[in-house]
Amino acid sequence: MPPASLGGGAKPEVEVHFHHVQMFVDGTRPYEEYVLAAQRMNQLAKAGVSQMSVEEARTAWAALSPPPVPEGGFTPAGQDIVTQCIHGLGWRITGKTDIASSHGTQSYALESQDTRGVKFIVTGKADGGSAGHASKKGKKDVFSHFSSDALATFFDSHSGRQGVAVLAFEVAHGEVESIERRYRAKHPGLLVNPATPSTQTYSDDGFKILDVFAYYKGEAGSDPDHGTVIRFVQRDAKATLFLPGLEPVAADFCGTYAPAYFDHWVSNVVSRTGFLQTLNDTLDFDIKVDFNAGVVAAGEAQIESTVTGNVGAAPASLEEQLISQSQVFLPINNALSEVGHVHLFLEELGQGVQHLASRVVDLTEFIAKVNRTREITGHGFTFLKIPHSYYGRLTKDTLAAPSVAGVGIAAPVSAELAAAVIANLEGGGCLTPTGTVAGDVDRAKIVAVGSKGLDGPLAAEFAAGQAAIADAVIQARYSNLYKLIGDNLTEESYLKIVENQILVDIQNGDILYQIFTCNVLQRVAGQESPFLEFIQRVCSGKCNPDGSAKPIKPGCGGFGIRNFLTLFLSIEVTKAINDRQAAMESADAAGEALATKKIEIFTHQLNEANPILTAITDGMTAQGDAKDSLLYAKTAEAKALATAAYAAAEATLKAANAALLECSTRHSEWMRKTCATA
């Protein structure tokens, strides 16, 4: 049955906005080095790099005397996150601390071109000092949020690893004291500073700041985990700084990268329900999306995940939907098995921030620029590898069976010709044995290679249908996406999505584009560490049953129920690919075979799960529509119809979730047996 209350709920007593995240790292580089890196990128942009070929752009880059790229090219491990953001995202340093007043640390504030958007603070040991040791300058800590003690506490609780140490929210005047009262009443053990008051006041700068530990070590009420901190920042009218202790510095943006805005921050924790309860007790956060274990299972790895958040104001326009930082979403994961990324993250690092997600206006263009910059400069970011079958596959049925909903070929060819064309394309390097169409294949090459060796009736049949055959082969590169979005995108747009390995989902007419970087803040390849996510939300215009326009929904497009599984699987696939490469390099035939089999199992699971995920998405959409219909129903008959529609959608979801859990369980057992017999 539908929930009793279908409204937006009571206005929360506490209102929070995204403010900044703070990363604690081993060390940072001199400010002058970062300035020089930004200047080189600006010079490259002014030289017209966007109009150059990659080779021409590399020549222009080399003329700027950049530091050499390590032999073997870019690798995610061992990177400096500030340098990565300057090169790869077009972000710039907008503030920095004075080493003498920061007690052995150096901090930099990074922002994209719109200062209303993302704010990363990167804090590292200064002058080669070690976290946890006071500065030799003997100066008293002025700003605890930049102190070496804070660094030491985080590293001690985070297995000595770098990571995202602070999630910070801005609150309105007077609310920081209200939040402290709530923590003191229900979760006093989480207050970083147990003194009364815990809130630190910086009168000269116009700030009040409250730091609390984010998680308990176990269930709510157990000892606090001293790793990740949640920070509440209150600024009065005279506050001109971004944060006390950060001095503004001039930032020259190159103007070619789109700005980014916080969307959600994801945690891996021991007790998901405990963290949910803490956030509800202190900030009135409630559950937005609750994924069951079947949705997020890859092989033997299983997790649970819930998205919680505040009640943000409905954006008044699409532009406001992009830039608003008032809607906060916090997805929370916990492991259900001793296998997989979330379990390994918790085992290696302890609880903490898994990844940070930011919105941009055009994700395809944004990522294409990031990828091109890395190709030219050897700096920036790489992204998780997505199985090609996620986007589409070419099979005999693609050519020999009638098209369905615009996918395939309108006038099917004979099964004999379909088999011959596919064999030719495979033999000519245009198609892999698993049905992936090569990225550099165009229609002319498809016709030339596909017709090779054909004679008699097959040659005549091919000649008559070659244009349709070529169209179907090209479409097979993105056929799964076309099933979701249809003619709303051009072929060029689809191919750019595939080329840049962007994930796509649709929910209730709203589209979500997602992509995930490879690890950041990673010292050594193979170690668990956080990553970044970039998304684009495309909100469709909708009307209520009475004809009035629906408000734009914060978080339109959802959180990618289909992509959630794909992310989970792609992390495991990426690890298996790396394992296979390592086994090949060490001539470990057994290890190579096992890694290859893992890739096969994960890919098979994704292919089988796709239609089930579609059913789940459709069920969630139908459920939402039924809620809206019930809200606007004015007659008993209309209410009965809406209630019945909700019940039907609920039944669909229950059946689809059961099917997905069965699929996950079966693949888990397949993986277990494969590993046991290896």
Side-chain angles (χ1 to χ4, degrees):
M1 294 295 291
S5 173
L6 297 174
K11 182 179 174 65
E13 292 182 26
V14 177
E15 294 186 31
V16 299
H17 298 243
F18 285 122
H19 191 255
H20 71 269
V21 297
Q22 187 173 9
M23 301 174 178
F24 283 170
V25 300
D26 293 330
T28 57
R29 296 176 182 173
Y31 175 63
E32 294 73 21
E33 186 174 331
Y34 293 136
V35 170
L36 187 56
Q39 289 174 345
R40 289 195 189 98
M41 291 302 297
N42 291 347
Q43 288 177 283
L44 192 64
K46 290 175 182 177
V49 65
S50 61
Q51 305 302 315
M52 301 178 187
S53 68
V54 171
E55 288 305 318
E56 290 172 335
R58 284 174 178 166
T59 300
W61 175 249
L64 298 175
S65 302
V69 176
E71 187 175 347
F74 178 88
T75 57
Q79 296 291 327
D80 174 85
I81 188 65
V82 178
T83 302
Q84 281 186 277
C85 292
I86 290 172
H87 286 104
L89 306 177
W91 297 2
R92 296 292 181 261
I93 293 174
T94 58
K96 68 183 185 71
T97 58
D98 174 6
I99 295 177
S101 67
S102 302
H103 210 30
T105 70
Q106 176 69 67
S107 296
Y108 297 102
L110 282 162
E111 298 183 69
S112 67
Q113 191 152 353
D114 188 342
T115 56
R116 295 171 295 182
V118 295
K119 295 174 174 64
F120 283 12
I121 297 177
V122 181
T123 300
K125 309 163 196 172
D127 298 329
S130 298
H133 296 280
S135 169
K136 293 180 180 179
K137 301 175 186 292
K139 286 213 171 192
K140 181 176 182 279
D141 276 334
V142 177
F143 307 109
S144 61
H145 41 277
F146 296 131
S147 73
S148 58
D149 287 341
L151 226 69
T153 299
F154 175 78
F155 275 92
D156 288 346
S157 301
H158 207 60
S159 300
R161 302 273 191 88
Q162 305 175 102
V164 180
V166 179
L167 303 176
F169 303 101
E170 184 165 5
V171 299
H173 182 72
E175 290 192 343
V176 72
E177 290 90 352
S178 173
I179 294 171
E180 180 181 337
R181 285 194 297 271
R182 287 184 168 211
Y183 270 96
R184 196 167 291 284
K186 293 192 174 183
H187 300 280
L190 294 179
L191 292 165
V192 172
N193 174 19
T196 304
S198 298
T199 299
Q200 291 186 288
T201 300
Y202 300 91
S203 301
D204 292 343
D205 299 311
F207 282 85
K208 288 185 177 181
I209 295 177
L210 172 67
D211 282 356
V212 300
F213 295 118
Y215 326 118
Y216 289 101
K217 287 183 177 180
E219 297 301 324
S222 61
D223 291 338
D225 184 316
H226 288 180
T228 308
V229 164
I230 295 178
R231 175 174 298 152
F232 301 99
V233 179
Q234 179 180 305
R235 302 189 298 169
D236 64 25
K238 69 179 180 181
T240 58
L241 304 177
F242 169 61
L243 200 64
L246 275 177
E247 297 298 330
V249 297
D252 186 9
F253 292 89
C254 63
T256 61
Y257 284 84
Y261 307 88
F262 286 130
D263 189 86
H264 57 275
W265 299 334
V266 185
S267 293
N268 289 340
V269 302
V270 172
S271 174
R272 177 178 50 91
T273 55
F275 191 29
L276 288 169
Q277 186 61 55
T278 299
L279 294 172
N280 179 259
D281 289 341
T282 57
L283 301 176
D284 299 313
F285 281 18
D286 59 8
I287 293 173
K288 307 299 180 183
V289 181
D290 202 5
F291 297 104
N292 73 15
V295 174
V296 282
E300 291 186 276
Q302 289 190 328
I303 70 170
E304 291 176 311
S305 185
T306 300
V307 181
T308 189
N310 64 345
V311 180
S317 66
L318 292 177
E319 180 184 9
E320 186 178 331
Q321 185 275 331
L322 171 68
I323 67 176
S324 174
Q325 299 291 264
S326 67
Q327 177 61 65
V328 172
F329 293 117
L330 299 180
I332 306 164
N333 306 324
N334 67 270
L336 289 176
S337 66
E338 295 185 358
V339 179
H341 158 71
V342 174
H343 166 74
L344 291 175
F345 186 101
L346 292 168
E347 186 177 63
E348 286 189 26
L349 304 178
Q351 301 182 102
V353 177
Q354 181 205 54
H355 75 269
L356 306 167
S358 303
R359 295 188 300 270
V360 296
V361 66
D362 186 332
L363 185 63
T364 304
E365 180 181 344
F366 182 82
I367 297 304
K369 191 179 294 294
V370 176
N371 283 329
R372 193 168 189 270
T373 297
R374 187 189 63 254
E375 288 183 61
I376 293 167
T377 68
H379 298 287
F381 295 90
T382 53
F383 300 91
L384 287 181
K385 296 178 177 66
I386 306 302
H388 289 291
S389 56
Y390 169 84
Y391 299 100
R393 297 169 62 239
L394 179 66
T395 66
K396 291 178 184 178
D397 284 348
T398 307
L399 303 178
S403 63
V404 178
V407 175
I409 190 167
V413 303
S414 66
E416 187 179 2
L417 178 59
V421 169
I422 286 177
N424 281 342
L425 292 175
E426 283 188 21
C430 301
L431 184 70
T432 69
T434 58
T436 299
V437 179
D440 60 350
V441 171
D442 58 19
R443 285 172 171 78
K445 189 171 183 178
I446 291 168
V447 170
V449 175
S451 62
K452 190 174 181 180
L454 300 180
D455 56 19
L458 287 184
E461 185 183 4
F462 184 90
Q466 65 181 25
I469 290 171
D471 287 345
V473 173
I474 291 293
Q475 189 196 53
R477 292 180 63 194
Y478 58 85
S479 55
N480 288 341
L481 300 186
Y482 188 90
K483 292 173 186 176
L484 289 175
I485 304 175
D487 289 329
N488 291 307
L489 294 180
T490 64
E491 179 179 288
E492 181 183 9
S493 296
Y494 275 122
L495 293 177
K496 283 183 177 179
I497 288 171
V498 175
E499 178 186 356
N500 290 288
Q501 293 209 297
I502 290 170
L503 302 169
V504 182
D505 203 1
I506 187 167
Q507 185 174 323
N508 203 17
D510 301 322
I511 300 174
L512 176 71
Y513 298 100
Q514 295 173 287
I515 195 167
F516 304 90
T517 70
C518 291
N519 296 82
V520 299
L521 307 178
Q522 184 186 54
R523 291 193 190 117
V524 179
Q527 290 182 340
E528 291 293 336
S529 64
F531 52 93
L532 305 180
E533 175 186 359
F534 294 97
I535 71 171
Q536 176 188 351
R537 297 188 182 277
V538 182
C539 307
S540 60
K542 304 183 187 73
C543 291
N544 294 309
D546 64 359
S548 61
K550 286 186 176 182
I552 299 170
K553 182 181 178 182
C556 72
F559 292 86
I561 189 169
R562 181 191 319 275
N563 296 344
F564 206 104
L565 175 61
T566 303
L567 165 64
F568 201 36
L569 283 166
S570 64
I571 290 173
E572 303 305 325
V573 167
T574 299
K575 288 183 177 182
I577 290 172
N578 292 337
D579 289 345
R580 183 172 63 180
Q581 183 63 34
M584 291 171 63
E585 291 173 358
S586 62
D588 178 4
E592 180 184 349
L594 177 59
T596 300
K597 191 65 178 178
K598 286 183 177 181
I599 295 169
E600 176 190 342
I601 294 171
F602 290 137
T603 302
H604 188 276
Q605 182 181 350
L606 181 62
N607 294 338
E608 187 175 318
N610 257 327
I612 305 174
L613 290 166
T614 297
I616 291 174
T617 302
D618 290 346
M620 292 175 70
T621 298
Q623 203 172 49
D625 289 344
K627 283 183 181 180
D628 290 342
S629 296
L630 190 57
L631 183 65
Y632 284 88
K634 296 180 180 178
T635 66
E637 181 182 6
K639 290 180 180 179
L641 287 172
T643 300
Y646 188 96
E650 197 168 39
T652 297
L653 277 171
K654 184 177 180 180
N657 279 322
L660 195 58
L661 185 57
E662 187 279 329
C663 171
S664 299
T665 302
R666 184 162 27 85
H667 283 85
S668 175
E669 181 63 14
W670 185 8
M671 182 67 75
R672 187 191 66 77
K673 289 181 178 179
T674 298
C675 294
T677 57

